[in-house]
């Protein structure tokens, strides 16, 4: 069992109060690591180190920062076995998936390195003769990055790569469920030769996270997490008027028209629902099916979900893995039970298996109503609700009748339906004849309670900048 220390100013630092906690494998409930818990004083020290480093980091040419990011990406790939091993043990993912996540994180790092020569300002006509208006894109300063448990390696680089290329430095707080992989990434920071203080990674509790996020030198807070976590971050941001970027909950609707390829739709939806046990903010959670094909699609979904094996992925990588914790499983099962009590039909799943590990079977519910909790609240687990619709107008009204607006899906061969949905869906993303995958050259941004700001692509990179207007009289 590895004991991980915190990473401040390119140094490994033990908790100054001796505090630590154990990390559990959700597939076996065994302890797989021990992590030093940073104190409030150490959180402050990390911000001070990042602020000091940022003064030099921002003065580097952007192409020099890009060279550092490319070296960092190479170091991530070189360490993919160590990163993947830590991630697989702490998350219940297969080793193959965990290593692939490290490679994908390196890919997005290289992508952001390519922006080095493309961070553009503007020249704007002035109303005054003999004068130019020049708009510059400048770094924010120190960015606090709060990382979720579900894709902790990829999301960590999804945040720090655009932050670094634009001249910021970062203090990272990984999820307490999955901190070990973050510290393996910290070793890649050293291997790549990034300057001290540019990247700092600390495990900490909520009180220490508040100290971090309310530090006057923190100019921006970026979070991927729940709506509740986002609300806390908004409270933190009020203290110093820090900029926020929040990627919060989702409840992806999939609309399946009568002319859709039902076999493909069923396979895609089941894959979306069972990947990482449904712990993905863009996973399909509610399916609206045109009445003419409702029974046919339900039959296919029931067959495929019932046959989908689950269990320890270190033994069988094709299995669906565990939920993150016992409390997560308890909460999901309680939601399913309340739905059944309210009249939903349980087609498959819906039971808590015996034995070690926080497993939950793929679960399918029909005869649900739009106003039910199971339809209106994010489950974040392998539970799927299916409802019928009549017309596309009806389907869009149901899909849009929701607090969340992150991703959405439409299966149809009719271009008119595609165009209408593209104009009327109330979500940041619409996928046609496929389920969400967050291409990193796109823009991943939620509507409604799904967030503020966004990640990925040019617009995600520019979230980490602020503008300066220079008015030059000549």
């Amino acid at each position: 069992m590895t004991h991980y220390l915190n990473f401040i100013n390119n140094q490994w630092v033990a908790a100054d109060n001796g505090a630590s906690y154990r990390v559990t494998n959700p597939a076996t409930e065994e302890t797989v690591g021990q992590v030093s818990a940073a104190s409030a004083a150490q959180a402050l020290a990390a911000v001070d180190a990042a602020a000091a480093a940022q003064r030099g980091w921002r003065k580097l040419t952007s192409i020099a920062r890009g060279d550092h990011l490319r070296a960092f990406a190479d170091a991530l790939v070189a360490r993919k076995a160590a990163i993947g091993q830590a991630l697989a043990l702490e998350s219940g993912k297969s080793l193959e998936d965990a290593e692939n996540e490290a490679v994908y994180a390196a890919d997005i790092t290289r992508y952001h390195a390519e922006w080095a020569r493309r961070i553009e300002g503007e020249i704007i006509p002035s109303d005054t003769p003999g004068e130019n208006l020049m708009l510059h894109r400048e770094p924010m300063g120190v960015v606090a990055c709060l990382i979720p448990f579900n894709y902790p390696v990829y999301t960590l680089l999804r945040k720090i790569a655009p932050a670094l290329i634009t001249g910021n430095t970062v203090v990272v707080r990984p999820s307490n469920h999955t901190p070990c992989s973050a510290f393996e990434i910290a070793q890649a920071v050293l291997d790549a030769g990034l300057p001290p203080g540019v990247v700092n990674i600390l495990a900490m509790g909520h009180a220490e996270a508040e100290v971090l996020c309310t530090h006057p030198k923190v100019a921006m807070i970026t979070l991927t997490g729940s709506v509740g976590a986002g609300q806390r971050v908004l409270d933190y941001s009020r203290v110093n008027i820090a900029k926020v970027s929040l990627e919060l909950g989702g409840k992806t609707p999939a609309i399946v028209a009568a002319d859709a390829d039902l076999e493909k739709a069923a396979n895609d939806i089941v894959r979306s629902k069972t990947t990482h046990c449904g712990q993905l903010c863009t996973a399909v959670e509610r399916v609206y099916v045109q009445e003419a094909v409702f029974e046919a699609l339900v039959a296919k979904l029931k067959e495929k979900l019932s046959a989908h094996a689950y269990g320890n992925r270190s033994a069988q990588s094709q299995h669906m893995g565990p939920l993150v914790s016992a409390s997560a499983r308890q909460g999901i099962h309680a939601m399913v039970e309340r739905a059944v009590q309210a009249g939903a039909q349980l087609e498959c799943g819906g039971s808590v298996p015996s034995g070690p590990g926080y497993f939950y079977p793929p679960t399918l519910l029909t005869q649900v109503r739009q106003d039910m909790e199971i339809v209106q609240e994010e489950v974040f687990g392998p539970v799927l609700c299916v409802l019928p619709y009549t017309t596309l107008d009806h389907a869009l009204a149901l899909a849009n009748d929701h607090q969340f607006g992150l991703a959405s899906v439409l299966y149809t061969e009719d271009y008119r339906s595609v165009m209408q949905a593209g104009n009327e869906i109330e979500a940041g993303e619409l996928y046609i004849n496929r389920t969400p995958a967050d291409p990193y050259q796109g823009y991943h941004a939620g509507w409604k309670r799904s967030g503020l700001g966004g990640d990925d692509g040019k617009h995600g990179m520019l979230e980490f900048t602020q503008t300066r207007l220079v008015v030059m009289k000549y």
Side-chain angles (χ1 to χ4, degrees), residues 397-426:
L398 292 170
N400 292 339
D401 177 26
H402 214 276
Q403 61 178 318
F404 293 125
L406 189 56
S408 58
V409 175
L410 172 62
Y411 283 92
T412 185
E413 296 302 318
D414 178 33
Y415 80 89
R416 294 175 180 84
S417 297
V418 172
M419 294 299 292
Q420 182 180 350
N423 286 332
E424 297 181 13
I425 196 72
E426 295 174 3

Side-chain angles (χ1 to χ4, degrees), residues 260-316:
D261 181 337
L262 297 187
E263 184 68 16
K264 178 180 183 345
N267 284 332
D268 287 356
I269 290 168
V270 168
R271 187 181 310 111
S272 174
K273 190 73 276 180
T274 57
T275 296
H276 199 29
C277 205
Q279 298 171 118
L280 181 61
C281 56
T282 56
V284 174
E285 290 216 355
R286 48 195 174 117
V287 184
Y288 299 104
V289 189
Q290 201 154 20
E291 287 178 336
V293 294
F294 181 81
E295 296 297 336
L297 185 64
V298 167
K300 288 179 180 293
L301 291 172
K302 181 176 180 178
E303 177 187 5
K304 296 176 188 298
L305 287 169
S306 299
H308 202 293
Y310 61 93
N312 191 336
R313 300 195 72 202
S314 66
Q316 296 290 339

Side-chain angles (χ1 to χ4, degrees), residues 148-216:
F149 71 83
N150 56 343
Y151 287 88
V153 171
Y154 176 69
T155 308
L156 195 155
L157 274 303
R158 185 188 216 178
K159 293 186 183 300
I160 72 172
L164 297 186
I165 196 61
T166 48
N168 303 282
T169 55
V170 298
V171 180
V172 178
R173 186 223 177 180
S175 166
N176 286 338
H177 291 293
T178 53
C180 303
S181 54
F183 293 115
E184 295 292 350
I185 291 171
Q187 182 60 51
V189 172
L190 289 176
D191 295 345
L194 266 68
V198 169
V199 176
N200 307 272
I201 302 176
L202 297 86
M204 63 183 77
H206 291 303
E208 292 75 22
E210 181 175 1
V211 169
L212 164 65
C213 293
T214 56
H215 193 298

Side-chain angles (χ1 to χ4, degrees), residues 317-378:
S317 63
Q318 73 273 21
H319 284 176
M320 183 180 74
L323 292 162
V324 67
S325 66
S327 62
R329 181 172 66 176
Q330 181 182 359
I332 289 169
H333 184 59
M335 288 182 74
V336 172
E337 287 188 317
R338 288 193 294 271
V340 172
Q341 290 168 5
Q345 174 66 42
L346 184 64
E347 301 287 348
C348 64
S351 61
V352 177
S354 60
Y358 310 129
F359 299 104
Y360 198 74
T363 299
L364 180 65
L365 293 167
T366 59
Q367 297 183 28
V368 293
R369 299 184 308 275
Q370 181 72 9
D371 63 353
M372 280 185 175
E373 174 198 35
I374 202 78
V375 177
Q376 291 296 322
E377 298 293 336
E378 185 176 33

Side-chain angles (χ1 to χ4, degrees), residues 226-248:
S226 67
V227 171
Q231 290 168 332
R232 285 196 297 273
V233 166
L234 287 173
D235 287 338
Y236 299 158
S237 72
R238 292 189 306 169
V239 176
N240 296 304
I241 318 298
K243 183 177 181 179
V244 298
S245 179
L246 307 175
E247 197 252 273
L248 307 178

